[in-house]
């Protein structure tokens, strides 16, 4: 049984989509071992507890690089204690430290609401809309030490309609995020892939 660790800072819509995908068999032989948040009042923690999942708040104590490193050390320890196989960032609004990445090499995933490398960082949907992009979408990728930079696992596209606003575009991208994240998790947990440079490649006859 594969064990996931979910990190979130807000409502946890991608976390709930992952939970639903597991229940529906789209991510086979998998369970959510722990849900962690840097925000004690994150609605996603309450949602996790209502589903009977272990959910912990680990806020950062103090400011500065030392406090940040100490916080990530506590997060790493909680994930290791839970015996997780894969870490899934689900609206986790922190940049994790290199030590965090090193603790789980090629075992941390993130979903970003743009077609990377276009529009990294915050408010990617608004960036795409304001730029006048005709196609937007989302990207699931491995997390490395740079922001929104790791090897891409899969992407899904969303057309930008003439009648769109940034808000309607964001809503349609979110629907694809929920689908893409589950697919990407299943692909990674299958182990039936290889990474060559920046290329995530499936083994013959898989996916």
């Amino acid at each position: 049984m594969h064990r996931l660790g979910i990190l979130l800072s807000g409502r946890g819509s991608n976390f709930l989509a992952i939970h639903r995908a597991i229940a529906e068999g789209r991510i086979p032989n998998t369970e959510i071992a722990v849900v962690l948040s840097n925000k004690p009042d994150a609605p996603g923690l309450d949602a996790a507890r209502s589903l009977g999942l272990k959910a912990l708040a680990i806020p950062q104590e103090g400011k500065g690089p030392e406090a940040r490193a100490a916080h990530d050390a506590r997060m790493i320890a909680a994930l290791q204690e839970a015996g997780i196989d894969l870490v899934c960032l689900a609206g986790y609004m922190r940049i994790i430290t290199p030590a965090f990445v090193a603790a789980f090499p090629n075992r941390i995933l993130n979903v970003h609401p743009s077609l990377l490398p276009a529009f990294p960082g915050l408010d990617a949907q608004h960036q795409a809309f304001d730029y006048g992009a005709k196609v937007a979408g989302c990207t699931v990728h491995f997390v490395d030490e740079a922001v929104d930079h790791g090897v891409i696992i899969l992407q899904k596209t969303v057309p930008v309609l003439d009648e769109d606003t940034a808000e309607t575009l964001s809503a349609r991208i979110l629907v694809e995020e929920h689908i893409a994240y589950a697919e990407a998790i299943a692909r990674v947990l299958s182990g039936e892939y290889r990474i060559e440079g920046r290329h995530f490649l499936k083994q013959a006859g898989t996916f």
Side-chain angles (χ1 to χ4, degrees):
M1 182 69 72
H2 302 294
R3 294 169 65 82
L4 302 183
I6 307 290
L7 274 58
L8 54 83
S9 297
R11 62 186 179 178
S13 72
N14 270 303
F15 146 61
L16 292 171
I18 292 168
H19 182 272
R20 185 166 57 252
I22 292 171
E24 294 173 354
R26 289 183 283 122
I27 308 177
N29 303 316
T30 300
E31 63 184 358
I32 295 174
V34 67
V35 178
L36 303 178
S37 180
N38 60 311
K39 301 286 188 182
D41 59 350
L45 287 177
D46 290 335
R49 292 175 184 129
S50 72
L51 293 168
L53 300 174
K54 183 177 181 181
L56 304 173
I58 304 180
Q60 179 170 313
E61 299 175 358
K63 297 181 179 180
E66 291 185 0
R68 181 175 173 232
H71 176 265
D72 274 15
R74 293 170 64 204
M75 298 288 281
I76 292 167
L79 292 165
Q80 291 175 335
E81 182 179 348
I84 64 92
D85 298 298
L86 196 66
V87 180
C88 299
L89 308 186
Y92 187 59
M93 304 306 291
R94 286 176 60 91
I95 297 173
I96 62 177
T97 59
F100 201 140
V101 175
F104 304 99
N106 283 340
R107 290 196 292 146
I108 307 175
L109 304 188
N110 185 46
V111 62
H112 182 74
S114 81
L115 297 174
L116 291 173
F119 311 118
L122 296 175
D123 294 325
Q125 311 95 317
H126 287 72
Q127 290 185 57
F129 181 80
D130 291 344
Y131 198 81
K134 298 303 182 185
V135 178
C138 63
T139 302
V140 186
H141 63 95
F142 287 108
V143 174
D144 62 14
E145 295 181 7
V147 176
D148 298 328
H149 176 266
V151 170
I152 292 170
I153 300 165
L154 65 81
Q155 295 178 305
K156 289 192 177 292
T157 60
V158 173
V160 183
L161 307 176
D162 289 347
E163 60 270 25
D164 263 331
T165 64
E167 288 70 29
T168 60
L169 177 61
S170 296
R172 294 209 320 284
I173 291 173
L174 185 61
V175 171
E176 296 303 318
E177 287 182 48
H178 293 169
I179 298 168
Y181 215 167
E183 289 183 10
I185 292 168
R187 290 185 184 187
V188 172
L189 291 177
S190 76
E192 297 172 340
Y193 68 91
R194 66 186 189 278
I195 296 174
E196 295 182 4
R198 287 197 53 85
H199 296 275
F200 180 92
L201 304 172
K202 66 180 180 179
Q203 304 291 10
T206 61
F207 305 165

